[in-house]
C-alpha cells in the first residue's frame, strides 16, 4: 500500500493506493496520523478511491484512525470507497459508524460542520 498525507484547511487528507492490509506502510501511516493528532489536527479524510482490496486488518486500521480522532473531539470521513469496499463496510456494519463523502470538498464541509 502507498499513502500520501496532505494538510489542507485544517483537514488531514490521507490518500491510500493499493491494498489496505496490515504491514509496515500501514503502521507508518497510522504514526503519521498520530503525529497530526498530537499537533491538534482534529479532522481527517481518508481517500479510498484507489484502494483495490481491504481485509479485516485494513478495517481495523480505519477503525483505529476513527478512534484516534474521535477521542480528541475530532472526526474522520471516508472519501469515495470502491463498490467492493462499500460492500465490506455494509456487511461488517461499519457503514453505521463511518461517514462516506463523494469528494474532497464534501468531506471538508462535513468535517468542519461536525465540530463547530
Amino acid at each position: 500500500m502507498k499513502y500520501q498525507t496532505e494538510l489542507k484547511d485544517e483537514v488531514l487528507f490521507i490518500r491510500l493506493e493499493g491494498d489496505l492490509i496490515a504491514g509496515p506502510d500501514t503502521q507508518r501511516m497510522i504514526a503519521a496520523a498520530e503525529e497530526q493528532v498530537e499537533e491538534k489536527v482534529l479532522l481527517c479524510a481518508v481517500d479510498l478511491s484507489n484502494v483495490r482490496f481491504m481485509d479485516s486488518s485494513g478495517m481495523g486500521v480505519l477503525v483505529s484512525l476513527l478512534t484516534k480522532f474521535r477521542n480528541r473531539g475530532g472526526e474522520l470521513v471516508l472519501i469515495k470507497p470502491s463498490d467492493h469496499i462499500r460492500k465490506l463496510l455494509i456487511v461488517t456494519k461499519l457503514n453505521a459508524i463511518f461517514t462516506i463523502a463523494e469528494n474532497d470538498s464534501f468531506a471538508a464541509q462535513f468535517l468542519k460542520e461536525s465540530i463547530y
Side-chain angles (χ1 to χ4, degrees), residues 22-53:
D25 289 335
T26 309
Q27 294 306 313
R28 282 191 288 275
M29 185 259 304
I30 290 172
E34 285 175 345
E35 287 176 21
Q36 293 296 321
V37 170
E38 292 298 320
E39 295 293 323
K40 308 290 188 238
V41 173
L42 299 177
L43 306 175
C44 182
V46 180
D47 185 343
L48 298 174
S49 61
N50 291 314
V51 173
R52 296 179 305 234
F53 174 80

Side-chain angles (χ1 to χ4, degrees), residues 44-82:
C44 182
V46 180
D47 185 343
L48 298 174
S49 61
N50 291 314
V51 173
R52 296 179 305 234
F53 174 80
M54 179 172 68
D55 64 4
S56 60
S57 64
M59 288 182 254
V61 166
L62 294 179
V63 171
S64 175
L65 286 171
L66 178 70
T67 303
K68 287 179 191 320
F69 283 91
R70 284 191 177 168
N71 283 347
R72 294 290 182 104
E75 188 58 74
L76 178 142
V77 298
L78 305 177
I79 299 175
K80 203 167 184 168
S82 67

Side-chain angles (χ1 to χ4, degrees), residues 75-94:
E75 188 58 74
L76 178 142
V77 298
L78 305 177
I79 299 175
K80 203 167 184 168
S82 67
D83 287 341
H84 171 71
I85 304 298
R86 282 181 197 261
K87 288 175 186 171
L88 281 175
L89 294 170
I90 291 168
V91 167
T92 58
K93 305 224 185 298
L94 290 175

